[in-house]
Amino acid sequence: MTRPTFGAFRSSLARRRPSGADVAVFLAIAVVLYTIGRVAPDTTVSLLPNQYTDIDTDPARLPYYAVRSLLRMFVALALSYAFTFVYGYAAARSRRAERVLIPALDILQSVPVLGFLSITVVGFVALFPGSLLGLECAAIFAIFTSQVWNITFGFYQSLITLPREFDELSRLHRLSRWMRFWRIEVPSSAIGLVWNGMMSMGGGWFFLVASEAITVNNNETVLPGVGSYAGAAIDAGDLPGVGWAIVTMLILVLGVNVLFWRPLTAWVERFRNEQSEASDVQRSFVLELWRRSRFPCLTRRVRRWATEPVNRAGRILGVDRRPLVVDTRRRRIGDLAFFATVGSLLAWGAYELLAYITREEGPGIFLRPIQLGVWTMIRVAVVVVASTLLWVPVGVRIGLDPRLARIAQPLVQVFASFPANFLFPLVVVVLLHTGISLDVGGIVLMALGAQWYILFNAIAGGMAIPTDLREAMTDIGVTGWQRWKRLYLPAIFPSYVTGGITASGGAWNASIVAEVVTYGGNTLTAVGLGAFIAESTAAGDFPRTLAGVMVMSAYVVLVNRLLWRRLYRVAEARYHL
């Protein structure tokens, strides 16, 4: 029997001694848990009448407000990913569900955040009577609706363009549906999920002001947060207060990007689909610190312990053995029954909705929104075309060059995540001094909120181009425009379509805050559907708000059906890697 030596004992003791990385990661986790535990109880306090009608604009309260807003953002982001996995998977894997869920997604992404808030807030308040938790849930739901559609579209697009060899691999090994989802489909979508999540969080920041000021029974309740602080400062024309809100938001955006998104974007590099290793990869000091600590080892043990029971439970979902040849007669009968049921339900819902609106105002209520929608649609088209011409080349260049990405990515993340409506007061001052109408200036304001969808998806598409394909192009001497035409543009086309459709929806949504801008005692109004919805919402005119939201949804669905859906089909059929 060999007895352990003193040297081996010292070595073992040294391995058990916490390193600096262990201490740093432990402290970070402890701070996060303490902050959540400290702030979370404040979201469930009793709500008394005429309470929370105003907000303390002392800058010393901003750190507390920042934590409250940040907590809402991350809860909404977690819900967005959970919704995406269920909704996107169902739409991609079921032909019948796709016919209903994707048009529904078009409609849902076109409904303005204010529309969701107006309709759902009463239900959330009724769920938690006498508690602030109902309003917190309404605010989180509003932020959720400003984040989720882009992530879901991106995940759906990744699933329907899954490389054929992955599909064959799943069938060959007779994987369960759960194993195919978790081992193949989620990893192959990881890059898009992270980049679209980052972009969507920027959309959430954009609507933070609207989400934290909630009107119930014509009484406005202001939740503690950076958005409500900025809204109060803007309404009062308090330029120093707006400045404090901008500084706080910059710190928040930078902190979230450095501590959360940057490590994630570096980590998902492992899921790139290529045969040769990239010469230069993204790095994150937070991710390096995590890897040097003992926590990855602990999480691996937990994952190994949990994997087998989860996989065993996932077998109830069945095996991935979709037939390659289907019985067309059975499919036709099933389609007929499915669409008859869904069509009847939709027809009944539409009839009841139209009956309510016409009973209140008459069918003429739709004429004005339809006319105004043409002006907003022109602004949206200008925003999408200009953003495409400007940001697709820039995004592809950033995605292809990891060294450039290391420099540009943090800047892009900050610009994209920063809520542009915090800058609206400055734009109003410029418009007033230059005499430029908001009919033109509104295009710039809409672009501030919508252009980033195209840039982020172009970056994600560029990063997903396999290095071996680029090297093959170099070997055969394809350069310049031919390289763009033969490789870059076809390769990023599916990502661009996702960015284009969400940018279009984002621009429609942004029109509500961009076509009516107020700072201090000055209010500028553009001719458009967004201004119509904003004014009817502020006046508490629910039938006019509902009519405006329905017309905006109809415009978005029409454009998506005629343009973006067709481009999706082209991307699915011809341009997936």
Side-chain angles (χ1 to χ4, degrees), residues 555-574:
Y555 268 108
V556 175
V557 171
L558 188 66
V559 172
N560 288 351
R561 291 285 101 188
L562 295 179
L563 176 64
W564 296 112
R565 278 304 122 207
R566 296 183 178 184
L567 294 180
Y568 252 131
R569 297 301 176 203
V570 173
E572 181 183 356
R574 298 181 56 184

Side-chain angles (χ1 to χ4, degrees), residues 64-111:
Y64 175 75
Y65 295 156
V67 174
R68 291 287 294 267
S69 294
L70 202 58
L71 190 58
R72 292 185 195 108
M73 294 292 292
F74 274 103
V75 171
L77 186 67
L79 293 174
S80 298
Y81 276 116
F83 176 90
T84 291
F85 287 145
V86 175
Y87 198 100
Y89 181 83
R93 300 286 287 171
S94 169
R95 189 178 60 86
R96 290 182 188 128
E98 182 187 29
R99 299 287 181 84
V100 177
L101 295 180
I102 295 305
L105 202 60
D106 287 344
I107 296 172
L108 289 171
Q109 76 145 352
S110 66
V111 175

Side-chain angles (χ1 to χ4, degrees), residues 270-286:
R270 63 193 295 183
F271 297 116
R272 293 185 66 165
N273 178 25
E274 59 186 12
Q275 296 176 0
S276 59
E277 188 175 355
S279 58
D280 200 356
V281 297
Q282 295 194 59
R283 300 187 185 280
S284 160
F285 79 90
V286 176

Side-chain angles (χ1 to χ4, degrees), residues 178-200:
W178 163 252
M179 290 286 286
R180 175 188 170 109
F181 172 77
W182 194 243
R183 294 288 188 183
I184 294 179
E185 291 174 330
V186 171
S188 67
S189 311
I191 292 178
L193 281 170
V194 169
W195 280 88
N196 281 314
M198 192 190 316
M199 181 63 247
S200 298

